[in-house]
Amino acid sequence: MTLQWSLLVIFFLPSLGSNNGDVYNTKGLGSVTAYWTPGEWGACVPFPSPGEPSCGYGSQTRNVSCVVFPSWPHKQTDPFNCRDAPKPSHERLCAVRCSDDCQVGSWQGWSICSSESCESAVRTRIRRVVIPPDNGGKSCPPKLQKSLCSNKKLCESRTSTNNPESISPFVLPLKDNRQGEATVYVGPWSNCTPVTSLPSQTRLLVRRDLTFVKSLPNSGPTFPSKSVTFPLTKVSFPSSKVPGPPWLTQSDIPDHSSISQPPLIGTRTREVLCRGGDGESIPFSKCMDGSRATVVPADRQSCVVDRDCAVGPWTEWSLLEPENCLMDRTRRRRDGAEERKREVVRFKVSSGKPCPHLKERRPSNQTVVCNFRYQWKSGSWGECQISSGTASEKECGGGIMTRNLTCFDVEVGRPAHPNLCFEKGEGNVENNLVKRCTIPCVQPCKLADWSAWSSCQAESCFLDQTSPVKGFQIRTRKMVNKGGDESTCSSQDEIRTCRIDSCYEWKIVEKGPCKLDETNSKCGVGKQNRLIECRKWDGKSANASVHCSGQPRPRQTVECNIPCPFDCIVSTWTEWTSCPAPICSSPHHHLRLPLKQRNRTVIADSGKGGQTCPPTDSLMEMGACPNMNGPCEWFSWKAKEWEECQLAPGYSCGKGLQTRKVYCQDNSGQIVPDWRCTKLETVVKRRNCEVLCPRNCEVSDWTEWSKCPDMCQKGSSEGGVLLMEIQRRERIVLVTPTSGGNMCPESFQVRPCPLLAGSCRQAKWHPGDWTNCTLPSGMTCGEGLRTRDLSCAKSGLLSLPMVDCLLTGQAIPRQTETCHVDCSDNNCKLSAWTAWSACPQACGSSRYRERKQIDDTKCQNKSLDSKQDEQCSCDKYSARPVGAWSECLPDKEEDTTVMQISPGEKETCGPGKRYRRMDCYDSSGNLVDGSLCGGSSYLKESCEVPCPVDCELSAWGDWGLCDTICGPGLKNRTSRVVRLPRGLGRPCPGPTVEYDGCNYPCENFLWSTGSWSQCNLLHGMCGVGKRKRDVRCVENIGDEPATVLEKFCDSRGKPESELECHEPCPGHCVAGEWSPWSKCEDCTWSSRRTRKRSILRAPDRSSLGCPPLEESRRCLANQTCWTYNWHLTGWTSCKPVGDSSCGPGIQTRGQQCFRSDGRPVPASFCVNIAIAGETEVSCNADCPVDCSLSPWSPWDESSCQCDLVLTNLTRHRFVVVSPSATGRPCPSKLSQNKPCPSDPCYKWNKTPWSECQLQGAACGTGVMKRNISCVIKPSNQDVDERFCNKNFSEDVESELMEKEVADLTTTASCYVSCHHDCTVSEWSQWSQCQHEKCTPQTSIGVRKRTRRIVQSARVPHGKCSPHLLETGSCLATACYQFQWMVRDGDVFCQRSDGLRVESGCKSRVVGCGPDCWSVAHASCQSGHCSCLPGYLPQFTPHPSPRLAMCVSATFNASLQGGDNKSQGGDIKIHYYPDVGILNYWMFAMISIGCIFIVFVGISIYILCQSTCRPEYRVPEYPERRTRTKTQEPPMPSLWT
């Protein structure tokens, strides 16, 4: 028993501790509690990516099940039982780190040959590991290479090429052919020193970061050898060199005036010695004896002091607009970036440092929203244009309305070209310029005919009033046009007076049978009883004793007569004929009294002894109609015109109220008192109205003035008239005026382009005046230098940054040039030679260059050339077409100054041109500039751009017949296609058949019968015979019925045209006419119909019987019995409302009552049957909307290349309005191509370096020269330098740096060793460009090359003057740094330019990662995953704890605190949340608890004989009611 308890407890406890805390209390005893149990997370499965390794971001999943509490093992239940608890997530984001392969750098240079023996040697080279392999990446390749080399001569010396200053020179056994001779030696030039001594002043040394400042004393033209101590470093300047970068003197500090100061002119010197055979200096006369060199090299020279490019200070960091917004328009927010700029203040001089980068960019901790600079601004909608064929003034119905669209540059608030919004804005605005509209059709009221006058209604009746009373009659009419303006209707009801003879009277309601007085009598006189009641004038019963007591009551019993067999039989009286309408009398005309009549006929003649027939004149009676003659008056309401719309006080427009006066009038139009019309419906006296508020015109700001063809034109004269170009600017109408608003001002302005005497509006270089010609110190003639300053300005007044002039493409003027002072005439000063002029096209021509006298001097030496000429090469040029023809382009070009897009037809057809490229070739077949051939760049050919042709239909034909015999139906008419559409013409608008409704009411088709003929007896004067009559089908239209075909009338109801007749003989039985057949209740077999007749005279003998008095027939389906049902006709064509031929309309179909035999019958037969479907629906007839396109973009030249490559210029446009189904379609191609013009390729041609020129010396440091010229490829023919000087684009920064580091020097120093001086090797290759500072953009870097001493100088007089290290500027590619970033819970690798990248961050991932994102109530703060305030963290067990869940602090405290007021007998049960949190301490506590429980169990078993079952109760958690759906389950504590 003890063992079973122990096992039960051991296995029960883990189950209680693994429920993850998702336990919720029961609501009552017996209810089941369930909770969510999540499983373990599965492996991270990366998202699929084609061509990429299985790494990166992915997802993890786990099973989440609903289990019953308590249960062990876990018992799953329906998830519905867990509906009150928030379900833990079953999926979360994760990441699998990708492997990083090893990356190595490039090979370094080979080492010198090294070996222990001189027989063979080995040289090596290495490369370094840039990125080590990580996470299973590929291992590194070999980092060391060895190669065999020969080292016999160099075996004695071990040198290192990496540090040229540490080279130990060695002696080569060279033969000296000049030993014992005196030679002229020239040393290297010194640094350029300014000509004038610097003034004695405090010098300011500023580091480039402008951080440290120190004053230094000045001691002459060069800096002293003095150490300057700064807080961090100690820098020592050599006494022979000016401090270079990163230090600048105060004169080099930018003054930010955008003026490049003139370069400083200085002097440089060198040693010029006469040396003996051992290198010793000897008197110069030894070298001037005539047999040796007689030219003495100069020992000083004018020079330009090196000056670095100077830039201004950095601006403040500014947040940049987001990039690539057009590529992904759905993601509006982007990572922000900041940028700062600086301007070029002056350019570098000589060998100064080039201009550094002018922009710097860094990531920002802010996110930015894609707000496009170019945005569309819609204009106001125009009026609704109705498409109709008529020209009525007041048109209504459906149409279209349009508006303009303007592209705005929001930064400057001005209109811009529409293509900027398409290419750099929010994109297309399709279907935004046209919309459909409707002008309501308010038609005048149309009234139907007057109805008949109602019966006379008494105005007032008193008790037992017997005298006539006054009454009234009303007639009405309705508006027949649905949707009409009811307020325009005239009176719709009228009233008139009438007379009622009596309010109350006796009425005979019913007559009884005739009863003979004698019992055995069969005919003769008898008595008849009548039912008499008191009735009101309207037919209602009344109290006889009250209302009819004053009137004589008719007799209740009267005499009657039953005809005897031989009596004459006469029919009953017919109804009185109707009286004519009342006639209005006039004073001068008296009308006769109108009459009415009735009649009867003899049915059977009398016999012998019988009652004779009445005379003929007694068979008809005449009676007088009521006297309706007299003044005819009727009355109706009459309304006056509507008054003006009354607005609320203080308002001049908006909603208001409109009223009109109403009065009562008679039929003659005279105004009568209103009480006469009080019984009529009142007429509308007031209605809502609106006064439209005036809308003023709104216009945009003026655009910039259009560019002049020549911004600095000089004007032209033709025929004595000054011809000038015109500039134009415009502003756009944004809102059109309506309702009396202010009209629009002028929308465009023009002005003449400025003349040269005015001010050019373009940025332009403005060089200053040249300085005087400066010669080397101590010299009075020879070659010198002069300089000038340089600035960029507009209009000669406004100073601009240098970048503005670079963007214009103008060549940068020189700030330094050579000058010449004639030694024979010191007053003669000449400028440098200008560049050679361009060669004219004609053969036999020449080009020239010239120099001018400067400084207001005049040369007396006429032998000095001031102009030089040389012959130009003569060649023949020919043009030939190449490539294919372009498509036909219309001659009519669009106005590129238009800033608005307006929907509508733009004619882009008609005469045009197609183009073919023309190349110009020289006689050798080389491509040259097209101007040499004197013609156009294109061969043109006339062509025709076809215009679109719309589909054309013929006029509609006549309407056809209705497709039904009677009742509602359809009729149609047709048209035909006269012309098919061609090109982009409108398609044919819909079907060529139109349907409309028609209706011939079945009630109008009746059988018309004539009078019966007399009975044509077969024998004698009485008996059986036949009678006939005429029966025809007529249609009741107009005044007279028209005879139609019998098919239009119902054949089943056709009256008989011939019948058997019977003339009764005296004494025979006489029967009356048959009653109509009764209706069949249904069409079953048992259903029958009957008819009856009565006996008018009994026979004289019983042997002569009467004919049958009743007939019965079976109801036969579709013969005598029918069923009825509604049938719907087909729909008519869509009928647009109003005058329009398109827009909203209605479609109708008729409802036709059909008999079961298929015969259409009047609608009254189907009045009780529901209609199966609608008979009127709304529809829409398409209003044609043509395709509308944007203007053409400018021709794109980006694909054009130089030389013989055939490429095209392209331009494109966009769809602004998509066409409707019946509009002109859009072209399938929205781009056009045109051949690129011919463009030869140009390059800088560099000739080989010349021999080292020592200028008369035998050895030492000299000069090598080369020519650099711009040539055309591939002929290498010299052309003007402007073809090779690339114009700057918007990317000035990179192009300026590229220009300044280009190797275009024409001179270089060289070294010729004397026999007693050292010998050096050739220069090594340039090293790779190294960054001075790691920046995320192209910047100025440094490269180096070295040479080494091959043979050392002889002591003691040998010299070794050449430098062994040379540095140069170069373009260093962008250098990036990477770091992990955490932003809004997102962890990503960011490059130093702000770009998010997938690789590059090699350190361990910092921040939160996907594991934090999947935990509810957790947030990523400072790279750490933590719970939000009010929640307590729960972590997974070691060794790698992580945040598992965040539990509400209030809820967790309630769970762990328990209820102190509970009874002592209750056991508090708390459950541990997660299996993963069990540790050793917990297992120890569980073991102790198990032992304690076993001990208690044994003790109870021993002490007690009965089983004791403690009562367990699950604690109640009141907070459960306040939990939200986003909270995690509560976190129970351990057992207590």
Side-chain angles (χ1 to χ4, degrees), residues 963-983:
D963 61 356
T964 183
I965 294 176
C966 69
L970 289 178
K971 60 182 178 179
N972 66 66
R973 61 180 180 178
T974 61
S975 65
R976 59 187 180 87
V977 177
V978 177
R979 182 177 62 197
L980 290 172
R982 291 196 303 270

Side-chain angles (χ1 to χ4, degrees), residues 1133-1196:
S1133 299
C1134 188
K1135 297 179 180 178
V1137 297
D1139 306 312
S1140 176
S1141 60
C1142 63
I1146 57 172
Q1147 277 183 290
T1148 60
R1149 58 179 175 179
Q1151 50 184 6
Q1152 195 170 17
C1153 185
F1154 268 81
R1155 206 165 59 190
S1156 54
D1157 62 348
R1159 168 77 189 183
V1161 293
S1164 59
F1165 289 94
C1166 299
V1167 68
N1168 295 323
I1169 302 175
I1171 301 174
E1174 296 179 338
T1175 58
E1176 182 175 312
V1177 294
S1178 299
C1179 61
N1180 188 76
D1182 182 53
C1183 291
V1185 176
D1186 296 336
C1187 173
S1188 185
L1189 303 174
S1190 68
W1192 285 107
S1193 65
W1195 287 105
D1196 182 9

Side-chain angles (χ1 to χ4, degrees), residues 568-574 599-604 613-614 619-620:
C568 176
I569 303 300
V570 182
S571 68
T572 59
W573 287 102
T574 61
N599 53 34
R600 56 183 178 172
T601 58
V602 175
I603 298 176
C613 293
L619 295 179
M620 183 179 64

